[in-house]
Amino acid sequence: MSSILIKNGTLATATGTCLADVYIVDEKVNTIGQNLQMQADLVIDATGKIVFPGGIDPHVHLDMPFMGTYSSDNYETGTRAALHGGTTTVIDFVLQTQGKSLYSALEEWRKRSDGNALGDYAFHMAVTDFNDQTKAEIKDMIVKEGISSFKTFMAYKGALMIDDRQMIGLMNEVKAQGGIVTVHATNGDMIDFLVAKHRSEGKLSPLYHYLSQPEITESEASARFADMAFYTGVTPYIVHMTCEGALNAIRNATFRNQKVFVETCMQYLILDASLYENDFEGAKWVMSPPLREKKDQEALWAGLNQGLVQVVGTDHCPFMWDQKKMGEKDFSKIPNGHPAVEHRMELLFSEGVKKNKISLNKFVEVSSTNAAKIFGMFPRKGTIAVGSDADIVIFDPEEKHTLSASTHHMNCDYSGYEGWEVTGKCKTVILRGQVAIDNGSVKVNKGYGSFIKRGESSLVI
Ligand code: URP
Ligand code: ZN
Ligand code: ZN
């Protein structure tokens, strides 16, 4: 038996804040109370610190084959970087190869992930080819494998995209089996048209990545996805929402009493499309959907406070600069994605809580609790409560530091946030009762991270 006593911290959950001690035995939270006097193997004085649940990032791509290369963080480097930044659980995407089964994709992903992670992880299953065979696998994915969310792409035409007929079929089956359908909601045909148009006109810089995915491509697809989900009755979740138009499509869906879960990502709250104006430098932020405008950032912050946006993830999908250079002469060949998993919690605290855009409790809700609830891991994950996994961050809300590729732990040789000053630092990160990060040092080994089987999602969070 091992034990940790965290004393004198300010305990923050999604529902409240209080001064309390937390006593951990083995992997679980054992007791929460004031002035606890238990003997423990390790006593941590958290005076002046905030104690909150380990973050859950439900949108990462580790070691993912994509656009002719692989994302540069694997399960070891990616989950280690996540732990440094207070994220104790990530949800990655298994990508079905068109023409093959869901199980064959799962096997491939297990070969890459098993025994390699430092932090906990789960999988979404991305269905890129819905047919009678894949339909028959949905139930086992949920019941046997603990993979209860199914990702779809309405874009990446010719690679990952499915059509509306497949979408309806998948939604019906996932609804019948008690899962959730998530989506990359942009209009793949419109984007395909605009990419071809810009290329034929010799407009090949990263700016044209942005101009090939205007806001309407996202608002249209978000509305269409919500309509199909309404018709089938499946629980819907839109990943990486970026803009006011798409958010308004979901606002409209609420008028018929529909619930559509919405995730945005940290970058869409704080970065904007002016970054695409600096020639090839803009490739650092080539991601899909692209960064948007200031007015979209305001809509997303408001959406968090209105409860229309429930989750802040990252869509962490890093590529080395040499990989980005695959698209030096043609924006459509730049691998899409950027390094982010390490900075989500600190940036959200610094830009959100410190700047009075969201409360501390909203911070916990959107960085951890809601993802645990929506993706069937609550109350094991996503909160600090008696019986929950002891996934805990001890956070100094005043420590200032500067983000940089020279100090980050993600396997990426540049940073999309170079020189960004943040206030607030993850000092100690505990995962299932083990100190994983202590003042910048890693204390757990590769293989400590566990695959988390997830249960049913709920419309009620
Ligand atoms: O640019 C992105 N988002 N890359 C990862 C794949 C995806 O669409 O999520
Ligand atoms: Zn996507
Ligand atoms: Zn993604």
Side-chain angles (χ1 to χ4, degrees):
M1 191 185 96
S2 68
S3 56
I4 300 176
L5 181 60
I6 305 169
K7 292 214 48 97
N8 308 318
T10 299
L11 178 62
T13 66
T15 49
T17 309
C18 60
L19 281 175
D21 301 342
V22 181
Y23 181 56
I24 298 164
V25 176
D26 295 333
E27 296 202 346
K28 302 286 181 187
V29 174
N30 177 282
T31 313
I32 299 170
Q34 281 176 343
N35 203 16
L36 297 183
Q37 298 298 331
M38 286 86 167
Q39 295 292 315
D41 301 326
L42 175 66
V43 178
I44 301 174
D45 181 10
T47 304
K49 310 279 195 312
I50 306 175
V51 177
F52 56 71
I56 299 174
D57 187 341
H59 194 149
V60 305
H61 301 278
L62 301 175
D63 217 352
M64 177 178 76
F66 188 53
M67 296 185 73
T69 185
Y70 279 77
S71 56
S72 58
D73 260 322
N74 57 27
Y75 285 84
E76 179 182 354
T77 62
T79 58
R80 184 192 295 133
L83 287 171
H84 274 285
T87 291
T88 46
T89 303
V90 297
I91 314 184
D92 191 25
F93 295 83
V94 176
L95 296 187
Q96 178 200 7
T97 302
Q98 289 175 348
K100 292 194 178 170
S101 67
L102 301 183
Y103 262 102
S104 69
L106 180 57
E107 256 170 54
E108 255 186 64
W109 255 256
R110 282 198 172 127
K111 274 186 213 147
R112 287 199 283 272
S113 60
D114 277 6
N116 286 327
L118 284 82
D120 284 357
Y121 63 100
F123 290 146
H124 306 284
M125 176 58 68
V127 180
T128 61
D129 185 1
F130 184 71
N131 52 46
D132 286 346
Q133 284 77 45
T134 34
K135 181 179 175 188
E137 294 180 285
I138 300 290
K139 186 175 179 185
D140 281 353
M141 282 296 149
I142 298 175
V143 176
K144 290 196 186 148
E145 310 303 338
I147 298 174
S148 49
S149 46
F150 297 85
K151 168 78 179 293
T152 59
F153 292 90
M154 294 169 86
Y156 299 120
K157 192 172 166 67
L160 303 170
M161 179 170 152
I162 59 169
D163 62 22
D164 292 351
R165 185 178 177 180
Q166 293 184 73
M167 180 72 86
I168 293 280
L170 175 68
M171 284 177 163
N172 277 331
E173 185 58 19
V174 172
K175 159 85 181 156
Q177 305 303 340
I180 178 170
V181 173
T182 79
V183 71
H184 172 129
T186 55
N187 184 315
D189 283 304
M190 278 177 82
I191 293 168
D192 201 47
F193 171 83
L194 288 168
V195 169
K197 176 177 180 296
H198 288 135
R199 291 177 77 207
S200 72
E201 293 166 353
K203 294 170 174 168
L204 298 169
S205 73
L207 178 65
Y208 290 93
H209 170 79
Y210 165 62
L211 293 174
S212 298
Q213 302 198 30
E215 181 174 8
I216 192 81
T217 60
E218 192 175 335
S219 42
E220 184 280 331
S222 300
R224 182 157 41 101
F225 176 75
D227 284 346
M228 290 187 281
F230 186 66
Y231 174 69
T232 59
V234 78
T235 301
Y237 178 102
I238 299 181
V239 307
H240 56 37
M241 185 179 282
T242 69
C243 59
E244 188 181 23
L247 192 59
N248 284 339
I250 298 321
R251 203 184 307 275
N252 278 340
T254 67
F255 297 145
R256 61 188 175 201
N257 302 322
Q258 187 184 8
K259 182 80 181 174
V260 180
F261 291 122
V262 173
E263 163 201 291
T264 189
C265 295
M266 199 55 231
Q267 60 271 24
Y268 301 121
L269 290 163
I270 59 172
L271 302 179
D272 68 71
S274 60
L275 290 166
Y276 297 122
E277 282 158 20
N278 297 336
D279 290 327
F280 195 66
E281 181 81 1
K284 288 179 182 168
W285 301 278
V286 163
M287 60 186 79
S288 292
L291 301 174
R292 303 286 186 197
E293 309 293 322
K294 297 266 187 236
K295 59 107 183 152
D296 299 298
Q297 296 175 5
E298 280 167 30
L300 293 170
W301 284 112
L304 287 168
N305 283 316
Q306 291 159 349
L308 274 176
V309 180
Q310 295 83 18
V311 173
V312 178
T314 58
D315 195 6
H316 175 75
C317 190
F319 296 97
M320 292 291 193
W321 191 240
D322 268 351
Q323 293 175 289
K324 286 282 185 182
K325 279 197 193 152
M326 289 161 64
E328 215 165 8
K329 293 197 170 64
D330 176 353
F331 70 87
S332 70
K333 299 199 164 48
I334 301 170
N336 285 199
H338 88 315
V341 72
E342 184 169 349
H343 300 322
R344 180 184 67 122
M345 304 286 281
E346 290 174 351
L347 278 171
L348 186 62
F349 183 86
S350 188
E351 294 295 315
V353 181
K354 276 284 175 187
K355 294 191 175 170
N356 261 329
K357 290 196 168 110
I358 55 171
S359 70
L360 176 60
N361 308 106
K362 177 62 82 176
F363 163 81
V364 174
E365 188 188 328
V366 300
S367 65
S368 180
T369 313
N370 281 349
K373 289 180 175 176
I374 293 168
F375 292 114
M377 294 187 280
F378 189 82
R380 177 176 175 190
K381 303 282 189 194
T383 192
I384 299 176
V386 172
S388 295
D389 278 4
D391 299 350
I392 294 174
V393 179
I394 302 172
F395 190 79
D396 182 340
E398 304 303 336
E399 185 171 327
K400 292 188 193 311
H401 58 116
T402 304
L403 307 183
S404 170
S406 62
T407 49
H408 75 203
H409 302 85
M410 298 175 285
N411 187 38
C412 192
D413 52 4
Y414 68 87
S415 171
Y417 304 90
E418 192 64 45
W420 197 291
E421 302 240 339
V422 295
T423 304
K425 179 127 189 77
C426 301
K427 302 300 290 181
T428 307
V429 180
I430 297 170
L431 171 58
R432 281 182 286 103
Q434 292 288 315
V435 173
I437 302 291
D438 184 27
N439 218 2
S441 304
V442 189
K443 300 290 179 193
V444 289
N445 295 322
K446 174 171 148 171
Y448 181 67
S450 279
F451 177 73
I452 305 296
K453 282 190 169 190
R454 298 181 289 113
E456 271 201 15
S457 311
S458 166
L459 258 189
V460 182
I461 63 165

